[in-house]
Every structure is written in structure tokens, then in C-alpha cells.
Amino acid sequence: QVQLVESGGGLVQAGGSLRLSCAASGKIFSINAMGWYRQAPGKQRELVASITSGGSTNYADSVKGRFTISRGNDKNTVYLQMDSLKPEDTAVYYCRYSPLSPYSNLERWGQGTLVTVSS
């Protein structure tokens, strides 16, 4: 099974930057999408950014122009560069692996990494 391990979270002041990493291992299908989601206290989990195996990206409106998602050259590592951070970005950030159908049932979530942005 695919395992996802996130890292890079921490405490940063507003206006600062953090870079999150998601390392994937196991039976990874070559055609897939990887994404970063976040869940703030009292709120539902929401999509932050996603990237397909073809390199197409998608961002939530709230992070456009500030966050950048990318993949390592081996396609097994996904990064989220977060710049100009705001207190509203405070949340637990989760990495998600989504293989192509009919393997959708094999999707996986990472354990999450906490990002705290102070005023």
C-alpha cells in the first residue's frame, strides 16, 4: 500500500514562508494526482492545491499567488511552497494520493503536519 509522510510544518510569523514535503512510497500508479488539503479548527477539510502526473495544477482561490505545488523529478515527492503566510492559513495540512480509476479505492492520506501562523 502507498504510504505518505508529510513534513515541514511549524510555527511562522505572518508574512513568512514554509515549505511542506510529502514523500510517497509503496505501490504507486504512474497516473495519479497528488494534493494538499488543510483543516482548520472547527472547519471541514478543504483543497489547497493539487497536481496531476502530467503537471497540471489547481489552487484554492485563497492561496493563489502565494502557494506553489510541485513534484520532485521522481514523481514520488510533492512540495507545497507557502509564501506570504497569513494567520488564516493556520491548519493541519494533509497530503493526498489519488490514483487513476479503477484504482480510486487505493487513495491515501498522510498523517498531517501542523502549520501555525502567528500575527
Side-chain angles (χ1 to χ4, degrees), residues 15-38:
S17 298
L18 283 174
R19 190 191 192 200
L20 306 183
S21 297
C22 175
S25 62
K27 301 286 187 179
I28 302 171
F29 291 92
S30 59
I31 303 177
N32 62 69
M34 299 289 290
W36 285 98
Y37 292 70
R38 67 187 181 188

Side-chain angles (χ1 to χ4, degrees), residues 50-63:
S50 64
I51 185 168
T52 69
S53 51
S56 297
T57 59
N58 186 49
Y59 297 91
D61 288 341
S62 60
V63 306

